[in-house]
């Protein structure tokens, strides 16, 4: 008898939970719809305009942009290589700086909690301001050119990598660090011999991923004066040389896809 | 290694045991990658031909400018805040459009659900094209086609996100347990029924967390679209920098930071829940 | 004979208020093989880690060879730790490094900071590490990566690392809790034989009372952070065992 009551009460309980869940789901769906409508009104979005734009867009795509002007590929090659160099230099310098900062920012390795908070706040500011905006700010001081592009990519890499490196360091098995401490090793020895070997796979994988991000970012950094292929695209659009633009876009495509291919191969081998 | 040449060891080196010791496995691949990476780094640095005098000078100028930027000038908030909200709206609308369309296309792209392998390949090819071209370049293209304003921004975000979402959604579906699909197929369910009854419930959490991640990225991207004239707060920043109004620029940058930072916080919360 | 280790009025209260140890007193003499037993959560690991100050004691003294570890400077603590080897339940080897490299970590305290960080060790240290590996039967595995070994082999590397310190005292925190019965016996034999041959004092935390009785020269039973038995294995009656585990049977049984 008692058991039966217990079961009934339990069933009522699950019914309640289910009702509660359904209510929650409905609320979330309503919220999403509400936000979408609010956004559509705020941006004057109309489906009609999009569909009437389809003709214009396809005209532009197929008549103005295509076919790409292959003869310009020679002069664009320099620009796309510049993009690659900026992305790579940004990754290497960024990874080295982030390596040091992340050891200060991770709870497991930081010499002092205050240093940890300061470094985390600093990198959070860098990370949460987009690279293109860094480029825009830097252009005012350094003038147009690859310096700005490279610096803003370095900033972006430092912001991103410090966070993921620090997270990786915090996942490290503290027992192993305890074991090295127990042998009477110094702080530096524990870092180099205990923490670093565990950290390497994450370090390589995240740096490679950052290279992909940088290559993407460096294709556009030129638009605000950071050099590279972005500058060529921006210029081409301003001068209505759309066939050159589409050639540049094809080069961007090739560069990004081959970087993705290469990094995934290296990742597979190392981890 | 040198310790093997130790004369004391030679006594044993003829015995069978000693031969079985595996030599240390040197990973030439990692070394090769590192050496090549180092060389390529130097080469890149050389090719970039950075003007180091300018670097030094510019750094001085940059810090001078940073000091100059303070205090932030908030007097133009009546223009800045609506622009920030517009960026947010562009990001939300663009992401929602991308999610809705990708929900249909991802099932055509997933090899285990696609009507034929060709359909899957074509959809995936288009997705790659959309994903690889950066949002801001899409924005430039749409501006030429439909003019300045938030609309090209929405379209740019929608198209670029669509490419990525199709890819990752299709991957989640492909990683699904085959047995569940087969069980429904065996019971005579149609394509739509299989998707509604088996696929969506299984991959729902993955889809939700990708969507949240994408929204996070898109809010970052929407703040920069204004730089090319596609609406939002980026345009305000561009204007302030162009007119050397650094105090306003700092305020706008702070608003951008707060927007992206709070979204990061919020999505960290949501990720824990999902 | 002077004690090698003295524990005086030792208390440990964790920041969250948990009283892990209260008023612990005992001395350990050279050559003893002390086994600490007690139920889960009794404070065995805490006690062991207070001895080499991996955990900061709240009150009381830990005196190793007439030096108060609890009052030593950071530098002195490192010097004292060199003479105290430690063996862990989860072995705590660095997975991606070779077996030999892991053993050489025992020499880090004696090696120059920069050289040690770069993993450069003297020929003498390397030869000695190989000798130790030979002794625990792992000579052939010296160039294997640590994560390629079986559990029993890993623990032998853990023991070798401790031995490489040329310690006066070995602390072992449940060295066989993650091993199967055969490996467990092998590991306990290794620890016992090496400590006897090299005249190293040992303090070992164990769950299994039978194993404790088999190897120990002295058994310390703790419960709720207090010593409630300290004597010869022969003095450990069933009644006392019951009392130590306080009717909460040993955890293995309790779990079922
Ligand atoms: N870092 C800590 N913070 C707070 N309390 C802790 C901490 N570490 C251990 N304790 C508590 O201190 C008490 C003693 O823990 P200890 O790990 O020393 O026990 P033990 O005898 O080694 O147990 P076991 O046999 O399970 O390893 C337990 O109640 C435990 O919950
Ligand atoms: Mg314990």
């Amino acid at each position: 008898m008692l058991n039966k009551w217990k079961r009934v009460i339990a069933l009522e309980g699950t019914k309640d939970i289910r009702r509660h869940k359904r209510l929650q789901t409905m609320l979330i769906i309503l919220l999403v719809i509400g936000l979408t409508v609010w956004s559509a009104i705020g941006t004057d979005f109309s489906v009609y305009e999009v569909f009437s734009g389809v003709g214009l867009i396809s005209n532009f795509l197929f008549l103005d942009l295509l076919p790409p002007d292959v003869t310009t590929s020679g002069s664009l090659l320099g620009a796309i290589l510049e993009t690659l160099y900026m992305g790579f230099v940004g990754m290497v310098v960024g990874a080295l700086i982030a390596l040091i900062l992340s050891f200060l920012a991770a709870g497991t390795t930081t010499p002092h909690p205050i240093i940890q908070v300061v470094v985390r706040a600093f990198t959070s500011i860098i990370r949460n301001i987009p690279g293109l905006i860094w480029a825009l700010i830097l252009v005012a001081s350094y003038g147009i050119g690859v310096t700005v592009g490279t610096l803003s990519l370095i900033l972006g890499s430092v912001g991103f990598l410090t966070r993921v490196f620090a997270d990786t360091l915090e996942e490290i098995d503290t027992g192993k660090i305890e074991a090295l401490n127990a042998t009477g090793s110094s702080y530096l020895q524990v870092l180099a011999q205990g923490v670093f070997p565990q950290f390497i796979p994450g370090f390589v994988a995240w740096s490679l991923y950052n290279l992909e991000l940088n290559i993407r970012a460096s294709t556009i950094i030129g638009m605000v004066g950071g050099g590279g292929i972005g500058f060529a695209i921006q210029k081409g659009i301003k001068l209505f040389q759309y066939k050159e633009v589409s050639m540049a876009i094809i080069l961007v495509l090739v560069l990004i896809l081959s970087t993705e291919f290469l990094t995934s191969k290296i990742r597979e081998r190392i981890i | 290694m040198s310790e093997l040449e130790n004369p004391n060891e030679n006594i044993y080196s003829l015995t069978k045991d000693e031969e079985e010791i595996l030599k240390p496995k040197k990973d030439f691949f990692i070394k090769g990658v590192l050496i090549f990476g180092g060389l390529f780094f130097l080469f890149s640095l050389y090719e970039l031909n950075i003007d180091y005098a300018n670097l030094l000078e510019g750094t001085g100028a940059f810090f001078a400018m940073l000091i100059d930027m303070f205090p932030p000038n908030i007097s133009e908030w009546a223009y800045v805040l609506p622009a920030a909200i517009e960026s947010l709206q562009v990001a939300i609308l663009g992401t929602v459009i991308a999610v809705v369309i990708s929900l249909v296309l991802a099932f055509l792209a997933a090899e285990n659900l696609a009507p034929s392998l060709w359909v899957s390949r074509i959809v995936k090819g288009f997705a790659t094209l959309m994903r690889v071209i950066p949002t801001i370049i899409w924005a430039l293209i749409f501006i030429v086609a439909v003019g300045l304003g938030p609309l090209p921004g929405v379209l740019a975000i929608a198209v670029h996100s669509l490419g990525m979402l199709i890819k990752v959604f299709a991957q989640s579906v492909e990683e699904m347990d085959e047995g569940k699909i087969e069980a429904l197929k065996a019971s005579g369910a149609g394509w739509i029924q299989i998707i509604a009854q088996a696929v969506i419930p299984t991959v729902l959490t993955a889809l939700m967390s990708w969507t949240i991640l994408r929204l996070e990225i898109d809010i970052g991207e929407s703040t920069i679209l204004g730089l090319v004239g596609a609406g939002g707060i980026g345009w305000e920043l561009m204007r302030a920098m162009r007119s050397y109004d650094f105090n306003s620029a700092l305020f706008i940058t702070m608003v951008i930071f707060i927007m992206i930072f709070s979204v990061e916080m919020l999505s960290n919360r949501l990720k824990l829940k999902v | 004979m002077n004690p090698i280790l003295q524990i005086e009025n030792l208390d440990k209260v964790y920041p969250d208020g948990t009283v892990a140890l209260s008023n612990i007193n005992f001395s350990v003499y050279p050559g003893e093989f002390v086994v600490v037993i007690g139920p889960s959560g009794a404070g065995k690991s805490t006690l062991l880690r207070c001895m080499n100050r991996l955990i900061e004691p709240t009150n009381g003294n830990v005196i190793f060879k007439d030096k108060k570890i609890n009052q030593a400077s950071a530098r002195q603590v490192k010097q004292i730790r060199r003479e105290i080897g430690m063996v862990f339940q989860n072995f705590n080897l660095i997975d991606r490094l070779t077996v030999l490299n892991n053993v050489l970590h025992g020499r880090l305290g004696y090696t120059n900071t920069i050289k040690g960080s770069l993993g450069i060790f003297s020929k003498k240290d390397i030869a000695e590490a190989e000798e130790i590996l030979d002794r625990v039967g792992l000579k052939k595995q010296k160039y294997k990566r640590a994560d390629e070994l079986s559990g029993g082999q890993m623990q032998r590397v853990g023991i070798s690392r401790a031995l490489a310190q040329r310690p006066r005292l070995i602390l072992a925190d449940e060295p066989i809790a993650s091993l199967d019965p055969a490996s467990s016996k092998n590991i306990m034999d290794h620890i016992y034989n090496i400590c006897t041959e090299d005249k190293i004092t040992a303090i070992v935390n164990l769950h299994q009372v039978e194993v404790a009785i088999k190897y120990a020269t002295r058994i310390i039973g703790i419960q709720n952070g207090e010593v409630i038995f300290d004597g010869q294995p022969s003095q450990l009656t069933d009644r006392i065992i019951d009392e130590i585990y306080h009717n909460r049977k040993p955890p293995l049984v309790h779990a079922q």
Side-chain angles (χ1 to χ4, degrees), chain C residues 14 16 18 20 39-46 174 207:
Chain C
Y14 280 106
D16 66 354
T18 313
S40 185
K44 305 184 293 294
S45 301
T46 307
E174 303 192 24
H207 261 317

Side-chain angles (χ1 to χ4, degrees), chain A residues 209, chain B residues 160 164 212-222 263:
Chain A
Y209 180 63
Chain B
H160 181 75
M164 176 216 174
I212 292 170
L213 177 72
R214 193 60 234 182
L215 183 65
E216 200 182 331
I217 300 173
D218 284 343
I219 287 176
E221 301 231 56
S222 73
V263 170

Side-chain angles (χ1 to χ4, degrees), chain B residues 42-261:
Chain B
L42 293 176
F43 176 73
S44 303
L45 213 53
Y46 170 78
E47 284 286 318
L48 280 179
N49 200 7
I50 289 171
D51 181 353
Y52 292 98
N54 173 39
L55 183 66
L56 210 68
E57 230 172 80
T59 308
F62 175 66
F63 282 105
M65 187 182 78
L66 273 191
I67 293 167
D68 224 27
M69 282 179 143
F70 282 93
N73 176 7
I74 57 172
S75 64
E76 303 214 358
W77 64 270
Y79 299 97
V80 174
L81 294 188
I85 289 177
E86 188 175 79
S87 283
L88 197 66
Q89 291 172 326
V90 166
I92 293 176
L93 192 58
T95 311
V96 169
I97 294 174
V99 170
V100 170
I101 301 179
S102 65
L103 273 182
V104 179
L105 293 184
F107 298 123
L108 293 175
E111 278 172 22
N112 50 350
L113 283 181
S116 86
L117 205 57
W118 279 110
V119 174
S120 155
R121 282 196 191 143
I122 290 170
V123 175
K124 276 185 178 168
F126 269 107
T128 305
L129 192 71
M130 291 190 274
R131 161 177 82 81
V132 168
I133 295 175
T135 311
I136 204 157
I137 293 182
W138 278 120
L140 283 173
I141 293 175
F142 286 125
I143 285 174
V144 175
V146 302
L148 296 173
L151 180 62
V154 173
L155 294 179
I157 286 191
V159 169
H160 181 75
S161 305
L162 181 59
M164 176 216 174
L165 290 178
I166 289 177
K167 181 191 170 197
V168 296
F169 284 0
Q171 249 168 21
S172 313
V173 173
E174 281 167 3
E175 280 162 13
M176 221 183 105
D177 183 10
E178 277 299 310
K180 285 187 189 158
I181 298 175
E182 269 172 11
L184 278 196
K185 263 187 194 160
S187 71
W191 197 72
I192 304 277
Q193 282 170 318
I194 292 178
I195 288 176
Q197 293 301 315
V199 180
I200 289 188
T202 320
V203 296
L204 194 63
T205 26
L207 300 197
M208 298 245 279
S209 46
W210 280 117
T211 302
I212 292 170
L213 177 72
R214 193 60 234 182
L215 183 65
E216 200 182 331
I217 300 173
D218 284 343
I219 287 176
E221 301 231 56
S222 73
T223 61
I224 61 175
L225 284 176
L227 300 186
V228 295
I233 194 167
W235 174 242
E236 299 293 322
L237 182 64
M238 188 85 159
R239 236 185 32 194
M241 288 303 290
R242 286 251 170 94
S243 54
Y244 296 97
D245 182 0
F246 294 143
N247 303 71
S248 296
L250 178 61
F251 173 58
I252 299 168
T253 310
M254 283 165 71
V255 172
I256 293 177
F257 169 77
I258 291 169
M259 263 172 77
I260 302 181
F261 183 72

Side-chain angles (χ1 to χ4, degrees), chain A residues 173-190 192-195 197-198 200-201 270, chain C residues 49 52 54 78 81-82 84 88 92-97 101 105 108-109 111-113 116-119 161 165:
Chain A
D173 184 353
T174 49
K176 296 177 186 193
I177 297 174
E178 197 178 38
L180 283 201
N181 273 325
T183 67
S185 311
S186 65
Y187 176 69
L188 206 66
Q189 288 173 334
V190 175
Q193 289 289 309
V195 177
Q198 297 185 63
I200 279 184
I270 286 181
Chain C
R49 280 168 176 70
N52 58 3
L54 283 175
K78 282 185 186 127
R81 278 180 186 165
R82 300 193 305 199
I84 305 178
F88 301 84
N92 287 340
L93 305 179
I94 310 297
D95 289 340
R96 296 174 64 86
L97 299 183
N101 205 178
H105 282 166
L108 280 175
T111 310
N112 165 300
T113 294
S117 300
L118 295 174
R161 174 174 62 195
Q165 294 173 235

Side-chain angles (χ1 to χ4, degrees), chain C residues 33-37 48 170-175 188 191 202-206:
Chain C
F33 196 97
V34 181
V35 173
V36 180
I37 58 172
L48 220 61
I170 281 187
L171 308 175
D173 190 12
E174 303 192 24
M188 282 311 293
I191 295 179
I203 303 176
V204 183
N205 284 350
L206 284 178

